[in-house]
Each structure stands twice: as structure tokens, then as C-alpha cells.
Amino acid sequence: MAIAPPHEGNAPDPAHPRNGFDRFFEITARGSTLSREVRGGLATFFTMAYIVVLNPLILGGAVDGDGKKLAIPALAAATALVAGLMTILMGVVGRFPMALAAGLGVNALVAYEIAPQMTWADAMGLVVIEGVLIAILVLTGLRTAVFRAVPTQLKTAIGVGIGLFLTIIGLVDAGFVRRVPDVANTTVPVGLGINGKIVSWPLLVFVVGLLITIVLVVRRVRGAILIGILASTVMAIIVEAVANVGPSFVNGKPNPHGWALNVPELPKKVVDVPDLSLLGNFNVLDSWSRVGWLIPLMFVFTLLITDFFDTMGTMVAIGQEGSMLDERGTPPRAKEILLVDSIAAAAGGAASVSSNTSYVESAAGVAEGARTGVANLVTGVLFLLAMFLAPLSLVVPFEAASTALVVVGFLMMTAVRTIDWTDYEIAIPAFLTIALMPFTYSISNGIGAGVISFVVVKLAKGKFREVHPLLYGVAVLFVLYFLRGPIESVVL
């Protein structure tokens, strides 16, 4: 548990707040000061600002079922806008130092699994539906019930699996891992770089940038991920100016030595009026008529599972860091915190930037002394200012941004140590959950395999009472999900 920051001189008695602002946010009551809250808000922003660059690259690099892409500058502006507004809302309503932004893992699910089967508007409509459902679960108390139904170690495995999934996305997007040509005598599906070698400038930038980021993370430098992206981007700009590498496709022909997605060249202008054209570009009904009812239903369920489990864990982790949990392990204003998080999920879909969720990087702000929603006001305002710097997102190539995906994957995987690998009844479902996400390039496949195998193992051991009734329903839904091909051929 974190040690509270040293007492700063002449702080008022907790029983006597300085003014109405202090009383509303409980700054003094929680043992904090305005200066600590400002420092905490700054620390939180600099540890998670990379999402303004990374989210557009993840979503902007995918195509929907009609072969269309979302504009990266518009994605960057909307990502910053929603993050800013929802972080401020959390500060005012939840009064808890936990910032929100587009969720890593969830955005990958939307980009690589949902959107390819429908339009972007349809995919974002499913995110809105998921946010509304989470809000209903919060208001009715069912969110806690579903949360308790899934074993803790299986929840941990879901997070670990998503971390590995993000890692392989980062390695593939950077070109560090590539498909091996399907030729005679080739049994390995993927390989290192180009013909097993690092022979291009972009690959070298990725490797050096990743090493820089790793060193910063090991040295506990605040903002290590963002600094790593910026350092890699500067390096990429210099390399492009000297070597004139060019894009990965030239006149429709592949250039394996080129930059992925963005060529790192300085834009004509750095500050611009934000492009907010993606706001409101969602549709909650068309996906159901386009691909049938089962696929959207399972995607909404998968979004819901991956979204709110992450939030519950993050909320508790931040509360532990700041010694803000009660005797039951619950932070203050828990219901309000979860309600704002659900609103953020829907808002992210409505703005076409994927579900917004809480960020564990907020613990950096808590480590700086943040204990209230005032820190969120600082972080949120900085996100809103970042909205005007959207043109800079076109400068960052995948080779620079993918360093963050790999490192974030590592950070998410560290929780694997809390799984009891000697207990096969939970270890095997956890293993399947973790393994199938990256190996099938699917988050939902991993979750489904874990839930189904857990239920089957418990039934085989005669321990059916150890499975929450809700989990039986979840398992049935996932069985339907895996059998959707044969089912649709019969039903449709």
C-alpha cells in the first residue's frame, strides 16, 4: 500500500475545509492539497497522453466491411475530446483521481474483429449499446453480480491475454513479425523482419525505440511510454529526411522496406482547428440486419466483459495506491465512479473512438499525491488542449507507436503471477484464455474458451455448485458464438 505524501506545511485541519471548492472535492478531508492535486493531474496526463497518438493509429489502420478507413486527424481530435470531457466528468461526479480515455484492447477488438464485418458506424453503434447496458447494470446492481460470477483468476487471465494480443499487434504493425511466404518446405507461419533479418530503416527505428522505452520503464521515468513514442518519432523523422525511405506501398505496389501507415514528415502546421466530423457517426440498428442478430449480440457481450472487468480492477488498484478503500475494499462513491465509466463507454462509441474506460496509469497521479477529482480537472483540460494538435498524429509511423503496444502488453502480463498454476481447475482455463487471444488474433475467442473450459472442468469434477449460475448462461452464449457458423446456416 502506498505511503501518503509528506505533510505540507500549514495544511488546514481535515475537519475545516478552506472553502466550498475544498468542501465539494474533499481535498482537505482526504489529506491532500491543491498543489498535490495539480502535480497528480500533470503526472497522469503525461503517463497516458500516448493514447491520443496510439488510438488513431489502431483504429485508423483497420478497414470496415465496406473497405473504408477512419481519418487519423479526426480520430486524434475526437480521442482527445472524449478523454478530456469524460475525465473531467469523473472528477466532478465520481470525485476520484481516475482518468479515462479510449481503452487499449477494446479498441483493438473494435478495429480488428467488429468493424471488418460491418461499417464503422455500425461497429461504433455496438459500443454505444454496450455503454448503455453497462449503465443499466450499474443502476440495477447487476454489474457487481456479473463481476463476482467470474473467478478472480480468470479475470486476471483475460487482462493478460489482452496484453499478449496487443503485443502481437504491435510487433506485426511495426513489421518486426511478418508472415512467411507460402512456399515449398515452409512450415513456420511467421518470422522475424524481412527474411529473418532486420534490414530496413523502419525496423531499426522500432527496435531502438523499443529499447529506449524499456530503459525508461525500468528506470521508472514518468511518461516513459510517451517519451518512447516521441523519441522514436524524432528518430524516424531524421531517418526519413536522410534516407528517403517512403511508404510501405508505392503506386499500389508493396515496399517491404517502407514505413507502415504514416511517413514521418513534419506537417505544414502543428496547431489546427480540430476535425470533429466523426462525432455522432454511429448506428445502433444496421449491424443487426447486416450480419444477423447473433454476431452483434456476442460482440456487445464481449465488449461488455472486456470493458467493465478492467474498470473494476483499475478502480480498486488506484484506491489501494492512495489508501482510499474502506474495510470492504470499496473506494468512495463507487456507484458514481462506475456510472461515469459506463457513460464514457457510450460516449466513445458516439464519437467513433471506441469505448472509453479508466486508465491504471492514473496511479502515477496518485503516487504524486492526488486523492480527489481535482487532479482529473487538470488532466482533462490538458486532453482538451491536445485536441488542437491533431496534425501531429500524421507524423507518427507505426514503427514508433508500436513500441507502446509492446510495453503496455508487458505491463498487462505482469498480473500472470497472481494465477495459481498448480491448480489445474483454474490454470487450464486461464491458459486457454491467454493463449488463444494472440494465437487466434481474437479477444472474444480467448474469453469464450476460458469460460467454457472452466465450466466444463468444474462439471467434470462434480463441483457444479462452485460455478455461479450467471456463468452457466455466459458459457452457453459463448458456445452459441463458436457455433454461429452452423447455427446461421440452419437459422438464416
Side-chain angles (χ1 to χ4, degrees), residues 424-470:
Y424 285 7
E425 292 179 25
I426 189 64
I428 291 176
F431 166 74
L432 291 175
T433 299
I434 295 170
L436 287 184
M437 285 189 191
F439 289 147
T440 66
Y441 227 64
S442 168
I443 294 170
S444 55
N445 288 350
I447 296 175
V451 170
I452 293 172
S453 60
F454 176 78
V455 171
V456 169
V457 166
K458 288 297 183 181
L459 289 176
K461 294 278 290 185
K463 299 180 178 179
F464 61 93
R465 295 179 184 273
E466 294 185 8
V467 180
H468 194 286
L470 285 175

Side-chain angles (χ1 to χ4, degrees), residues 222-255:
R222 292 192 178 93
I225 293 175
L226 179 62
I227 294 172
I229 293 176
L230 294 176
S232 302
T233 301
V234 171
M235 193 188 328
I237 292 172
I238 295 173
V239 166
E240 176 61 23
V242 174
N244 193 26
V245 176
S248 56
F249 280 86
V250 179
N251 297 324
K253 297 181 179 180
N255 172 25

Side-chain angles (χ1 to χ4, degrees), residues 5 14 26-33 36 369 371:
E26 301 177 328
I27 301 173
T28 302
R30 296 189 188 182
S32 185
T33 65
R36 291 179 189 168
R371 296 293 182 272

Side-chain angles (χ1 to χ4, degrees), residues 73-428:
L75 283 169
T79 297
L81 173 65
V82 178
L85 293 178
M86 292 301 103
T87 295
I88 291 173
L89 185 65
M90 178 65 79
V92 175
V93 177
R95 304 175 201 172
F96 193 66
M98 184 169 71
L100 300 98
L104 286 171
V106 176
N107 57 4
L109 172 63
V110 172
Y112 298 102
E113 294 190 49
I114 300 179
Q117 301 197 44
M118 55 193 72
T119 67
W120 281 112
D122 295 340
M124 295 303 171
L126 295 183
V127 176
V128 172
I129 293 173
E130 175 249 342
V132 173
L133 288 177
I134 290 183
I136 294 173
L137 289 175
V138 172
L139 295 174
T140 60
L142 287 175
R143 182 174 188 178
T144 302
V146 175
F147 174 75
R148 291 173 177 171
V150 178
T152 301
Q153 295 186 62
L154 198 56
K155 298 171 193 171
T156 300
I158 291 172
V160 173
I162 291 174
L164 286 179
F165 183 53
L166 287 175
T167 299
I168 194 169
I169 289 175
L171 294 173
V172 171
D173 285 347
F176 188 81
V177 171
R178 306 191 186 203
R179 293 183 180 89
V180 175
D182 187 13
V183 297
N185 301 321
T186 298
T187 58
V188 179
V190 294
L192 169 67
I194 302 172
N195 297 322
K197 302 176 182 177
I198 300 175
V199 293
S200 70
W201 284 110
L203 273 180
L204 182 62
V205 168
F206 168 74
V207 172
V208 175
L210 180 59
L211 291 175
I212 291 173
T213 307
I214 289 172
V215 170
L216 294 173
V217 169
V218 170
R219 294 182 64 86
R220 309 283 183 177
V221 175
R222 292 192 178 93
I225 293 175
L226 179 62
I227 294 172
I229 293 176
L230 294 176
S232 302
T233 301
V234 171
M235 193 188 328
I237 292 172
I238 295 173
V239 166
E240 176 61 23
V242 174
N244 193 26
V245 176
S248 56
F249 280 86
V250 179
N251 297 324
K253 297 181 179 180
N255 172 25
H257 296 270
W259 300 99
L261 191 61
N262 292 331
V263 176
E265 298 173 334
L266 289 176
K268 295 180 180 179
K269 52 183 177 181
V270 174
V271 179
D272 195 7
V273 176
D275 179 359
L276 300 178
S277 60
L278 292 178
L279 300 185
N281 184 29
F282 68 96
N283 191 309
V284 298
L285 298 176
D286 282 1
S287 61
W288 305 85
S289 59
R290 176 165 179 159
V291 297
W293 63 271
L294 184 60
I295 292 177
L297 178 65
M298 292 310 305
F299 277 141
V300 168
F301 175 76
T302 302
L303 285 169
L304 188 148
I305 291 293
T306 56
D307 210 355
F308 77 50
F309 283 153
D310 178 69
T311 297
M312 298 287 281
T314 300
M315 182 176 69
V316 172
I318 292 173
Q320 288 175 335
E321 177 71 17
S323 302
M324 293 180 284
L325 302 181
D326 61 20
E327 64 279 1
R328 296 175 298 176
T330 303
R333 302 178 66 83
K335 186 174 182 179
E336 288 83 354
I337 293 170
L338 294 174
L339 182 60
V340 173
D341 181 80
S342 64
I343 293 172
S352 296
V353 295
S354 181
S355 175
N356 273 229
T357 188
S358 57
Y359 265 59
V360 74
E361 284 90 341
S362 303
V366 174
E368 285 288 343
R371 296 293 182 272
T372 76
V374 176
N376 275 37
L377 303 184
V378 176
T379 304
V381 169
L382 290 173
F383 268 121
L384 294 179
L385 292 176
M387 188 171 53
F388 295 90
L389 302 176
L392 285 177
S393 63
L394 292 173
V395 178
V396 184
F398 262 145
E399 290 80 2
S402 292
T403 58
L405 283 176
V406 176
V407 173
V408 170
F410 156 73
L411 295 175
M412 295 178 72
M413 189 176 177
T414 57
V416 74
R417 67 186 184 279
T418 63
I419 298 174
D420 182 3
W421 296 104
T422 63
D423 181 2
Y424 285 7
E425 292 179 25
I426 189 64
I428 291 176

